[in-house]
Amino acid sequence: SWAGARPEFRVIGYDAHGVAAHMGLLRRFIRVGDADLLVAELGLWGVRPDLEGLGLNHSIRVMYPVLQQLGVPFAFGAVRHALYKLVGRLCRNGLGTIVAGVRVRSTLSDVYLNLPPTRTEDVLVVVFP
């Protein structure tokens, strides 16, 4: 869903070896029940492989002031089930909540005549208040 997206905000952390971590934020309308709701989607989230396991995923805290300024009710990010342990560590102190069993429909980045223009996936959704 981030193919071609231009984040409104981007956080990039550097160290002596270059880019250490990065994250983007984009406001989107999502359907929650019967209502369209403007929220912040967090994505483009990455940590350089040699820094994995050092707790950099807690750097998401730098986004909280931005979320408050935007006045969105919450931010979310969709991740693969394989990342459950990673996001579980992030959420264990109340920083976020993991919601399983959510089916997310997103637009495919490439259009093919023999495929539908959207896909539906079963993902973990991480919600940040």
Side-chain angles (χ1 to χ4, degrees), residues 24 26 43 93:
L26 183 62
N93 293 324

Side-chain angles (χ1 to χ4, degrees), residues 1 20 30 35 39 43 50 77 103 106 120:
S1 66
I30 64 170
V39 300
D50 64 311
R103 303 207 29 95
S106 59
T120 302

Side-chain angles (χ1 to χ4, degrees), residues 80-91:
R80 299 181 319 270
H81 285 268
L83 296 175
Y84 184 87
K85 284 185 181 180
L86 173 72
V87 294
R89 286 192 302 271
L90 174 64
C91 295

Side-chain angles (χ1 to χ4, degrees), residues 39-72:
V39 300
E41 181 178 4
L42 299 173
L44 303 175
W45 185 6
V47 175
R48 201 172 62 225
D50 64 311
L51 299 174
E52 290 176 357
L54 298 178
L56 289 180
N57 61 352
H58 290 280
S59 63
I60 195 169
R61 290 181 178 154
V62 302
M63 294 301 259
Y64 273 87
V66 173
L67 296 173
Q68 290 174 342
Q69 289 173 352
L70 293 175
V72 293

Side-chain angles (χ1 to χ4, degrees), residues 23-46:
M23 178 183 299
L25 179 148
L26 183 62
R27 282 182 284 187
R28 295 184 185 261
F29 281 97
I30 64 170
R31 175 133 321 204
V32 179
D34 291 332
D36 288 332
L37 188 62
L38 181 63
V39 300
E41 181 178 4
L42 299 173
L44 303 175
W45 185 6

Side-chain angles (χ1 to χ4, degrees), residues 78-87 98-103 121-125:
V79 299
R80 299 181 319 270
H81 285 268
L83 296 175
Y84 184 87
K85 284 185 181 180
L86 173 72
V87 294
I98 300 171
V99 182
V102 176
R103 303 207 29 95
E121 301 174 275
D122 176 27
V123 296
L124 296 174
V125 174

